Amino acid sequence: MMCAMAQRVKRAFTYRFYPTPEQAEQLARTFGCVRLVYNKALEERSRAYALHGRGVSYGESSAMLAAWKRTQELAFLGEVSSVPLQQALRHLQAAFTNFFAKRAAYPRFKSRKRSRLSAEYTRSAFTWRDGRLTLAKTGTPLRIVWSRPLPEGAEPSTVTVSRNAAGRWFVSILCEDTVRPLDPVEGVVGIDAGIASLLVLSRPIPGVTDAVGKVANPRHERADRVRLARAQRALARKEKGSSNRAKAKVRVARVHARITDRRRDHLHKLTTSIVRENQVIAIEDLTVRNLVRNRRLARAVSDASWRQVRTMLEYKAAWYGRELVVVDRWFPSSKLCSACGAVAAAMPLEVREWVCAACGATHDRDVNAAKNILAAGLAER
Ligand SMILES: [Zn+2]
């Protein structure tokens, strides 16, 4: 008998909000200070690293920040909440930890143009009362569009405010939430990224895939692409430095943001259904996938989307008591007959369906690959 243990997990809930002019002004100033502190601390750390080959601790950075605030030219740092500035130092600390552990490249400066504008507030820097969120130094509660409710009794622990290139404001609220494992199911599934479809499953799931197991690209995707191409063409026609060009730029950013949002929503729905319906889920590791796939192929699933799918499957499987197996060993998934194990001689990309010479089974190329990934995953457990 399996015991369904509820677990406490941290979940982020993101909403749009509409700042008052005062809030917008204060937050924009905070973003600027966050960037400045991050860059200055990075400069100091780089100097210490270059001169003495040593790291700088978070405590030392924090003392530097206190000293900067006491100088005349940086006194304005004291006009924004100190917490987002401290958090910037913590993020830098984490970036260096990853660098020294060889998990990441050397930290880079935050540029005015390329970097995401954001500020992170921990518990001491906001109040949460009667469903109203007020950030330090902003005075009034944020006007949040509650597109979905926070979980019952949720206690926000961290709040991140950001503004994207399209000028939209978002607040991401990290909460403790209780998730309960789902009842065990019999289903097992292998997942591959298809060529003409978004994902290919080793078996069909009603309401998720078509009759053979393919998940089509969402219908809105094509229209969004057309819209993006149109916005980009309009931008290219605008004169450099003109206000019309700035407007066209915002329009392009807006379409981009919309595509990203819609894709993420779609992937959330898909991964939740897959996790619900299956006890074991097998996927191929991205590095393995890249070994096999032809880079010139117009892939239905970009590496970024695939990484998102994997991350979502990982944490949802952990929440709901499912098992995710990542197959990291290479095998000829397209050429291998999932029915008898015979390996076909060649499999040019244009071959969408084939008949195994050894056993006579007819295979859809992509579904067959997904079945092989499932078999490899089950063998690897
Ligand atoms: Zn066969």
Side-chain angles (χ1 to χ4, degrees):
M1 177 67 190
M2 262 186 87
C3 182
M5 287 278 285
Q7 27 168 348
R8 301 288 285 170
V9 297
K10 295 236 181 219
R11 283 177 89 165
F13 296 83
T14 303
Y15 305 95
R16 271 190 83 170
F17 75 100
Y18 295 86
T20 63
E22 295 78 31
Q23 288 172 345
E25 204 261 297
Q26 176 67 14
L27 289 172
R29 193 141 32 117
T30 307
F31 293 157
C33 291
V34 163
R35 196 168 56 85
L36 181 135
V37 164
Y38 186 93
N39 286 345
K40 261 187 95 63
L42 173 53
E43 204 181 301
E44 293 294 339
R45 278 174 179 263
S46 298
R47 188 174 305 147
Y49 186 58
L51 287 179
H52 317 291
R54 66 175 192 95
V56 172
S57 70
Y58 167 75
E60 286 171 283
S61 299
S62 190
M64 281 180 211
L65 172 59
W68 296 336
K69 283 184 183 177
R70 284 193 299 268
T71 66
Q72 204 168 7
E73 54 289 11
L74 294 176
F76 61 84
L77 291 175
E79 291 166 19
V80 303
S81 168
S82 62
V83 170
L85 307 184
Q86 298 285 353
Q87 290 306 99
L89 296 180
R90 288 209 173 83
H91 294 158
L92 182 62
Q93 175 78 29
F96 268 97
T97 304
N98 286 335
F99 166 69
F100 285 124
K102 298 193 163 55
R103 283 191 298 264
Y106 195 82
R108 299 200 318 179
F109 287 102
K110 282 186 190 293
S111 89
R112 194 183 290 272
K113 281 200 173 143
R114 272 180 296 108
S115 308
R116 197 172 80 101
L117 300 168
S118 71
E120 193 176 282
Y121 295 77
T122 52
R123 199 62 195 87
S124 61
F126 64 84
T127 60
W128 170 251
R129 204 168 295 130
D130 306 324
R132 282 150 78 85
L133 181 71
T134 311
L135 301 176
K137 304 247 185 188
T138 54
T140 48
L142 298 184
R143 290 179 300 183
I144 297 171
V145 182
W146 297 101
S147 45
R148 55 180 172 154
L150 277 185
E152 191 93 18
E155 271 304 314
S157 60
T158 307
V159 170
T160 306
V161 176
S162 61
R163 196 180 71 206
N164 69 13
R168 291 183 177 166
W169 295 81
F170 294 92
V171 57
S172 175
I173 305 174
L174 194 67
C175 292
E176 279 229 326
D177 191 12
T178 307
V179 292
R180 277 169 230 290
L182 299 165
D183 289 334
V185 287
E186 297 286 323
V188 292
V189 75
I191 307 174
D192 195 12
I195 290 171
S197 34
L198 182 61
L199 294 178
V200 183
L201 274 52
S202 57
R203 68 183 181 92
I205 298 178
V208 178
T209 68
D210 66 5
V212 291
K214 296 185 181 185
V215 181
N217 276 302
R219 238 170 291 139
H220 56 73
E221 186 112 348
R222 188 181 292 266
D224 281 347
R225 290 274 155 214
V226 170
R227 218 164 281 140
L228 180 63
R230 202 181 299 142
Q232 280 166 335
R233 273 198 307 273
L235 173 62
R237 281 195 303 267
K238 300 286 184 284
E239 210 174 309
K240 277 219 166 98
S242 68
S243 69
N244 278 337
R245 186 180 166 85
K247 269 185 221 150
K249 237 182 186 164
V250 169
R251 213 163 297 131
V252 169
R254 207 166 272 169
V255 182
H256 261 301
R258 180 185 157 91
I259 290 176
T260 315
D261 288 354
R262 298 232 283 189
R263 168 149 338 125
R264 196 187 41 236
D265 282 355
H266 186 68
L267 294 181
H268 263 306
K269 286 194 192 107
L270 267 179
T271 50
T272 298
S273 304
I274 291 170
V275 166
R276 259 178 206 290
E277 302 285 331
N278 296 281
Q279 194 60 38
V280 180
I281 300 142
I283 59 168
E284 230 178 351
D285 189 60
L286 186 67
T287 49
V288 174
R289 243 168 58 82
N290 283 342
L291 276 179
V292 194
R293 298 288 184 272
N294 186 333
R295 276 239 155 245
R296 283 173 308 166
L297 261 182
R299 267 195 309 240
V301 173
S302 69
D303 288 355
S305 295
W306 183 254
R307 219 169 278 129
Q308 253 183 329
V309 165
R310 176 174 167 171
T311 307
M312 288 174 181
L313 288 173
E314 258 166 8
Y315 71 78
K316 287 177 187 179
W319 286 358
Y320 297 122
R322 305 298 199 228
E323 190 180 346
L324 179 74
V325 190
V326 180
V327 180
D328 57 6
R329 140 185 95 77
W330 183 83
F331 63 99
S333 60
S334 302
K335 291 196 285 187
L336 189 68
C337 170
S338 58
C340 76
V343 179
M347 193 61 59
L349 279 169
E350 62 274 15
V351 175
R352 310 306 314 144
E353 212 178 77
W354 57 285
V355 177
C356 174
C359 76
T362 305
H363 295 300
D364 174 283
R365 179 206 184 94
D366 291 340
V367 174
N368 178 63
K371 282 181 179 164
N372 284 327
I373 288 166
L374 172 61
L378 293 176
E380 217 163 84
R381 280 164 83 204

